[in-house]
Amino acid sequence: GQQLNQSPQSMFIQEGEDVSMNCTSSSIFNTWLWYKQDPGEGPVLLIALYKAGELTSNGRLTAQFGITRKDSFLNISASIPSDVGIYFCAGYPGGSEKLVFGKGTKLTVNP
Amino acid sequence: EPEVTQTPSHQVTQMGQEVILRCVPISNHLYFYWYRQILGQKVEFLVSFYNNEISEKSEIFDDQFSVERPDGSNFTLKIRSTKLEDSAMYFCASMNGNSKNIQYFGAGTRLSVL
């Protein structure tokens, strides 16, 4: 089935540093979503991307939908301790209404 | 802000027992979903539900699973005879069906099968 390959698996950074993570797929996805999950909670939407090449920001977060519709990246600038959590990319494979999730990037921010 | 609510937050059951996980989707949403997340793994799609019927399901969603929208507000997932490997976080999600295609997730129910 369709899979999203997310990297890196984990990141350990200092407060104030910028972060970048990405997702790739062997097949085309319609609509890419980036979620954050805190421990014991459900995924919370950060950014939604709808068009190939689209670049969208939400505060210190920026995400882009790749031109080929097979990849996306998420950048976090000037990280703060509350950025700690697991970040998931997710998307809809063509013709499906199910969300396919990446395996997540676990972010640790050292104060 | 409207949110998806799930109960209970933690359910402990014996293997072979039936469990019902409950969800109250956001009130004006039309599409409903169940996902599960085994500890340390990614979120996996189980089933989608629209217009009072299942619209899509995964291979995980076998005959032991069923979903129901018994009234205008609740959406339930039933596991008839739980197995050890059913232990996971179960997330309900809902979507309003406009062009934004955004699914909003509840906080989840942790199911522990002993």
Side-chain angles (χ1 to χ4, degrees), chain B residues 55-66:
Chain B
S55 49
E56 190 171 349
K57 61 182 180 179
S58 73
E59 59 273 12
I60 301 169
F61 194 88
D62 61 22
D63 291 344
Q64 293 299 311
F65 291 86
S66 62

Side-chain angles (χ1 to χ4, degrees), chain B residues 40-53:
Chain B
Q41 299 187 22
K42 66 179 180 180
V43 178
E44 300 175 289
F45 170 80
L46 292 178
V47 66
S48 58
F49 191 86
Y50 171 72
N51 200 25
N52 285 318
E53 61 183 20

Side-chain angles (χ1 to χ4, degrees), chain B residues 2-98:
Chain B
E3 60 181 19
V4 176
T5 57
Q6 289 185 244
T7 55
S9 58
H10 190 190
Q11 175 84 51
V12 182
T13 189
Q14 294 290 325
M15 187 171 57
Q17 295 295 305
E18 175 183 287
V19 295
I20 297 176
L21 310 183
R22 303 181 189 278
C23 169
V24 179
I26 296 173
S27 63
N28 63 340
H29 285 190
L30 303 176
Y31 297 81
F32 314 111
Y33 307 86
W34 283 100
Y35 291 80
R36 79 170 186 190
Q37 185 180 34
I38 294 172
L39 185 63
Q41 299 187 22
K42 66 179 180 180
V43 178
E44 300 175 289
F45 170 80
L46 292 178
V47 66
S48 58
F49 191 86
Y50 171 72
N51 200 25
N52 285 318
E53 61 183 20
I54 291 173
S55 49
E56 190 171 349
K57 61 182 180 179
S58 73
E59 59 273 12
I60 301 169
F61 194 88
D62 61 22
D63 291 344
Q64 293 299 311
F65 291 86
S66 62
V67 290
E68 192 178 30
R69 187 158 164 81
D71 52 42
S73 61
N74 291 283
F75 180 51
T76 61
L77 174 69
K78 181 192 290 186
I79 309 175
R80 288 188 184 81
S81 179
T82 51
K83 303 186 287 287
L84 295 176
E85 54 265 37
D86 292 328
S87 295
M89 283 288 288
Y90 287 82
F91 293 107
C92 174
S94 69
M95 183 172 76
N96 67 6
N98 64 15

Side-chain angles (χ1 to χ4, degrees), chain A residues 8 17 19 23-24 28 30 33-34 41 46 55 64-65 71-75 77 81 85 87 94-96 99 102 108:
Chain A
E17 290 183 355
V19 169
C23 269
T24 61
I28 290 174
N30 301 319
L33 306 174
W34 284 93
E41 299 291 327
L46 299 174
L55 182 70
Q64 185 160 31
F65 194 160
D71 63 297
S72 176
F73 71 74
L74 174 71
N75 289 341
S77 62
Y87 292 79
S96 174
L99 268 180
T108 301

